[in-house]
Amino acid sequence: MTLTQNDHTDIGTLIAYALQPTQRPGRSQEYRRVLGRYRTESDFRIAADAVLHGLHARVLSDGDFGLVLGVSPESPFAYRVGDMPHAATRIGRLMAGLVLVGVAAYAYPSPADLEEERIRRVADVEFEQWMRAMCERLQEHDAAGEPVPDDGLNEAWRAYHEMPSTLVGDKGRSSGRLSPKCTLYWVRNVLGWLVEQGMARADSTGGTWMLTERFRVQVKDMAGEPAYTFLADIARRPHIRPSSPAVQPPAADDGEQA
């Protein structure tokens, strides 16, 4: 079959939808149409995959959640930790990167978890305490002379461990709001970014985020990364998960720069 100009237009349309993380086939008849072509027409699928290959991208999933893409670092679609909100500084990149990997290990600590298509919830305060307990365990590794298999993780957990859980600003527009000099700020910052990427939804009650299928697919794709595998291995130890405290700290200032 020779593809027509309309076929190539549909391939472009499909990729355009895939690059908009909050788009869903259930909300768009056009998205459902071009996704249906990808699922059922082999020539169309081969051509779309070839275009994506040229862009250093590949399809991870074509399920009801839409076309989920994985990209290589050299892809024009690749995102970097420094591109996340308020993460332009060195400490910002360390904190955002650690929290992002931490959420993955917290939600999916085992290969079996990655195969389960069910909603995972992350309560911000409980997760922040879990991360702090994780850092305590890493401190024990360090004291025993056991190396962390990733230089970035090794630097990041130390930075996290040194920060207070909460720190509230007392001047100007930051008065009464969480400061980027505390870890709960970074937990909420990363979870908020996941919402923007279609990988999480904020619970209406506040303080809890629900991870989506898109996030599970992305974590499954990066499951061999040293930082994730190392944290996930520790996460499988039950005593790392504490109970969530009853009191919630002040809301983060989403507009504050790190």
Side-chain angles (χ1 to χ4, degrees):
M1 173 182 173
T2 301
L3 295 182
T4 67
Q5 182 175 347
N6 287 338
D7 294 326
H8 287 99
T9 298
D10 278 356
I11 289 172
T13 299
L14 176 63
I15 293 173
Y17 275 117
L19 293 173
Q20 300 175 69
T22 57
Q23 287 284 358
R24 301 287 183 272
R27 302 172 187 165
S28 168
Q29 183 177 352
E30 181 70 352
Y31 194 0
R32 288 197 300 274
R33 183 184 70 81
V34 292
L35 181 62
R37 292 198 66 187
Y38 183 84
R39 290 169 170 171
T40 61
E41 300 177 27
S42 60
D43 289 338
F44 185 88
R45 184 185 190 104
I46 290 169
D49 287 345
V51 172
L52 288 168
H53 179 72
L55 293 167
H56 299 284
R58 66 196 185 286
V59 174
L60 301 179
S61 173
D62 62 357
D64 293 341
F65 211 77
L67 204 68
V68 181
L69 303 180
V71 299
S72 302
E74 60 269 26
S75 172
F77 306 136
Y79 64 84
R80 293 165 178 80
V81 173
D83 297 330
M84 296 172 66
H86 320 313
T89 64
R90 174 66 178 170
I91 190 66
R93 291 190 294 273
L94 287 172
M95 297 300 290
L98 177 63
V99 171
L100 184 59
V101 175
V103 170
Y106 178 83
Y108 306 104
S110 73
D113 291 312
L114 283 170
E115 297 300 327
E116 291 184 5
E117 298 182 12
R118 66 178 178 84
I119 293 175
R120 308 286 172 136
R121 288 177 169 81
V122 179
D124 52 13
V125 175
E126 178 180 340
F127 172 71
E128 192 285 325
Q129 289 196 324
W130 179 88
M131 281 296 304
R132 197 157 292 280
M134 186 73 77
C135 290
E136 294 289 344
R137 181 53 57 89
L138 290 172
Q139 189 176 43
E140 294 174 9
H141 275 257
D142 187 57
E146 301 174 13
V148 173
D150 183 276
D151 290 341
L153 173 61
N154 194 40
E155 186 178 359
W157 78 258
R158 297 173 193 275
Y160 192 103
H161 191 255
E162 291 175 1
M163 270 193 187
S165 297
T166 59
L167 182 65
V168 178
D170 59 0
K171 295 181 180 179
R173 63 187 299 272
S174 63
S175 179
R177 295 182 179 274
L178 288 177
S179 164
K181 295 181 181 179
C182 73
T183 53
L184 186 58
Y185 173 94
W186 290 104
V187 168
R188 289 179 174 172
N189 190 58
V190 170
L191 289 170
W193 178 81
L194 287 175
V195 171
E196 294 175 1
Q197 300 303 309
M199 292 190 277
R201 296 191 303 272
D203 190 287
S204 59
T205 60
T208 300
W209 280 257
M210 296 173 288
L211 302 175
T212 67
E213 175 70 1
R214 182 180 292 268
F215 185 68
R216 184 187 70 84
V217 170
Q218 293 289 351
V219 175
K220 189 175 180 180
D221 184 55
M222 53 82 73
E225 293 294 324
Y228 166 74
T229 56
F230 188 73
L231 289 184
D233 176 64
I234 298 176
R236 289 192 288 270
R237 304 170 191 178
H239 63 276
I240 285 294
R241 287 183 183 267
S243 298
S244 179
V247 180
Q248 294 280 82
D253 180 2
D254 293 334
E256 191 168 12
Q257 296 294 320

